[in-house]
Amino acid sequence: MSHTQSIELLKQARERFTQREIAERVGKGTKTVRRWESGETPCPAMLEAALRDMLQTRPTSLTTCDQTFQFVDLFAGIGGIRMGFEAHGGKCVFTSEWNDFSKKTYIENFGNHHQFVGDIVPFPAEDVPSHDVLLGGFPCQPFSIAGVSKKNSLGRPHGFECATQGTLFFDVARIIATKRPAAFLLENVKNLLSHDKGNTFNVIIQTLRDELGYDIHYKVIDGQHFTPQHRERIIIVGFREKTGFSWDDIRLPADGPRLESILHKTDGTEPVLAWDEDRFFDHKKRSVQPKYTLTPNLWTYLQGYAEKHRAAGNGFGFGMVFPDSITRTLSARYYKDGSEILVYQGKTKRPRRLTPRECARLMGFPDTFKIPVSDTQAYRQFGNSVVMPVMQEVARIMVPHIQALVAHQRDGAPLALPLFC
């Protein structure tokens, strides 16, 4: 993205946000934003993702969308769904996440200001705080293509037959049944639709619609509308009563960003983040740390592996990406060899992995998001996370209906036509 384009995005953002709000979002001082705006210093191209995120958020003017609603965050991971709903006025009152490393990242970024439990399975539904919205990215491994293939190869059950993860959906259902929130959002892999010839998805929908009585809407959304990554996920939303909710209200940019928007900048414009320092990028040398470049042995292995499968007529192999690319789906196994997304570094140099900071950007997390865990754990966390701007956009079209339901329950007033943010 050119300087001209980035300054135009900054102008658009300034129509709705103060310099301080922009500075806080991009991790800079207000003086720096003022210099960009005045033209004293060039507005860096890497700001594209953060500025686009800001332009997706609600206006700063007072509307019904400024009213706070409360939500619980189940199977929370590192908080990607939470961030999307907080951007539209939501307040988290309860979190559940069993992985200790994910919990560390979550608390580092959101604090520990309410009850945080690990395993939700033994936790009594009655003890979950009252809430307006239930959010849950319940584990997808039992339903993902990779998860099913691996379990088949090992002779293990998958889907609802997977006792450790596949039945966790029913823990979501028992909490919904007990607490009766105004709405919920559930997220999973696209393969959930076709798993077990559609039977798994049918059970989920029948449970939510027929047994729990919620008005159900679902849609597969590709994250590449917001970040340079092909990542299709199914979003299931439900409302306690009939509303005017429609997926037609969602705004999905036709031309999403390209990889260059999230890569570390080697032209001197890469931001110095106090929480990263030089962990991922050497600011003096203006280069990505050398440890992210593949070793000779690994690069030789990946090339041989790809050639073997090409000769056999298979499509398996590494995924080389360039500044104008859209990547494959980032997976939780990225820490192993990085093969699904290898960044081209020229003919004379071996490719490299994305750094954890670049993975955060690829998932739509702002640079203010801290990464307090090892690279291995960070790759796992971002590979298991959601494209945050997708959640933010879904929240945008859900929130007015949520607020109408909450007001209806509180005041007994008829459901009003919502005002969209």
Side-chain angles (χ1 to χ4, degrees):
M1 181 172 140
S2 69
H3 164 67
T4 302
Q5 290 173 303
S6 58
I7 193 65
E8 180 58 33
L9 277 177
L10 179 61
K11 289 179 180 177
Q12 293 178 34
R14 281 289 285 121
E15 292 176 359
R16 290 171 47 187
F17 301 95
T18 66
Q19 289 178 338
R20 175 173 293 182
E21 288 172 326
I22 294 173
E24 289 176 350
R25 179 65 68 91
V26 302
K28 294 288 186 178
T30 54
K31 289 184 179 179
T32 301
V33 176
R34 193 177 302 120
R35 292 190 190 103
W36 292 336
E37 196 172 359
S38 67
E40 183 179 345
T41 57
C43 184
M46 59 76 57
L47 287 177
E48 177 189 14
L51 292 174
R52 289 189 185 278
D53 282 352
M54 292 194 77
L55 290 170
Q56 289 291 329
T57 61
R58 70 190 192 284
T60 55
S61 60
L62 292 176
T63 69
T64 57
C65 299
D66 290 296
Q67 299 172 6
T68 300
F69 59 94
Q70 296 185 333
F71 64 84
V72 297
D73 196 11
L74 307 183
F75 313 107
I78 56 175
I81 302 179
R82 170 178 176 158
M83 290 184 74
F85 279 75
E86 281 188 331
H88 292 282
K91 178 182 179 182
C92 188
V93 296
F94 177 86
T95 299
S96 172
E97 170 54 46
W98 70 272
N99 183 275
D100 288 337
F101 294 105
S102 294
K103 180 177 180 180
K104 180 178 181 179
T105 300
Y106 191 102
I107 292 177
E108 177 71 22
N109 286 279
F110 300 104
N112 193 14
H113 309 301
H114 58 249
Q115 188 174 12
F116 195 125
V117 302
D119 190 358
I120 196 65
V121 174
F123 194 82
E126 296 80 5
D127 292 345
V128 175
S130 295
H131 52 278
D132 303 312
V133 189
L134 179 146
L135 307 178
F138 63 100
C140 62
Q141 289 89 341
F143 312 113
S144 69
I145 294 174
V148 170
S149 299
K150 181 176 181 180
K151 289 178 186 293
N152 281 339
S153 69
L154 297 174
R156 295 177 182 173
H158 51 81
F160 285 138
E161 295 179 6
C162 177
T164 57
Q165 292 180 313
T167 59
L168 291 176
F169 163 74
F170 294 112
D171 288 289
V172 173
R174 70 181 173 86
I175 295 172
I176 294 174
T178 301
K179 306 304 293 190
R180 302 297 296 174
F184 61 78
L185 177 145
L186 305 178
E187 180 268 351
N188 212 288
V189 292
K190 179 185 177 182
N191 196 51
L192 180 65
L193 279 168
S194 57
H195 182 266
D196 191 23
K197 300 180 180 179
N199 291 326
T200 297
F201 189 70
N202 286 338
V203 170
I204 289 174
I205 296 302
Q206 288 172 10
T207 300
L208 297 172
R209 182 188 60 208
D210 302 335
E211 296 184 22
L212 298 180
Y214 277 71
D215 184 32
I216 305 301
H217 308 260
Y218 59 88
K219 183 178 179 66
V220 173
I221 301 177
D222 194 335
Q224 71 172 302
H225 291 286
F226 299 95
T227 69
Q229 177 188 186
H230 175 58
R231 190 183 189 90
E232 293 182 301
R233 291 294 185 268
I234 185 165
I235 310 297
I236 307 170
V237 303
F239 297 92
R240 193 175 54 220
E241 300 176 34
K242 282 280 187 181
T243 70
F245 177 88
S246 171
W247 289 114
D248 292 340
D249 294 319
I250 199 165
R251 295 197 293 254
L252 302 177
D255 298 315
R258 291 297 184 263
L259 190 66
E260 64 180 349
S261 66
I262 66 99
L263 295 177
H264 292 294
K265 305 300 180 185
T266 57
D267 60 358
T269 61
E270 178 67 17
V272 179
L273 307 177
W275 38 91
D276 285 356
E277 295 183 332
D278 282 353
R279 175 180 170 184
F280 310 120
F281 186 84
D282 188 324
H283 290 81
K284 289 184 178 178
K285 295 181 179 179
R286 296 185 177 182
S287 63
V288 173
Q289 293 291 3
K291 68 177 181 178
Y292 297 105
T293 295
L294 299 191
T295 64
N297 287 342
L298 179 55
W299 180 222
T300 298
Y301 167 77
L302 289 178
Q303 291 179 96
Y305 180 83
E307 182 57 40
K308 180 180 71 174
H309 281 285
R310 272 196 296 269
N314 299 325
F316 301 108
F318 55 83
M320 191 74 74
V321 293
F322 306 86
D324 61 349
S325 292
I326 295 294
T327 74
R328 296 178 181 178
T329 300
L330 180 69
S331 73
R333 67 170 298 282
Y334 189 70
Y335 71 94
K336 292 185 177 181
D337 55 30
S339 60
E340 68 257 39
I341 306 173
L342 295 178
V343 181
Y344 182 73
Q345 297 193 101
K347 292 182 179 180
T348 61
K349 192 172 182 180
R350 298 182 300 278
R352 68 173 178 86
R353 293 180 175 89
L354 295 170
T355 71
R357 175 54 62 194
E358 290 170 326
C359 289
R361 294 170 179 172
L362 191 65
M363 301 303 293
F365 286 77
D367 278 355
T368 50
F369 191 85
K370 298 177 178 63
I371 306 173
V373 294
S374 69
D375 284 5
T376 295
Q377 293 300 329
Y379 286 136
R380 284 173 169 166
Q381 289 173 8
F382 291 118
N384 278 326
S385 189
V386 297
V387 175
M388 192 278 289
V390 171
M391 298 299 113
Q392 187 170 314
E393 175 60 13
V394 175
R396 183 188 67 82
I397 64 172
M398 283 185 68
V399 166
H401 301 288
I402 293 166
Q403 293 171 334
L405 285 171
V406 172
H408 174 60
Q409 181 182 27
R410 182 185 65 238
D411 304 328
L415 290 178
L417 184 66
L419 173 64
F420 279 100
C421 299

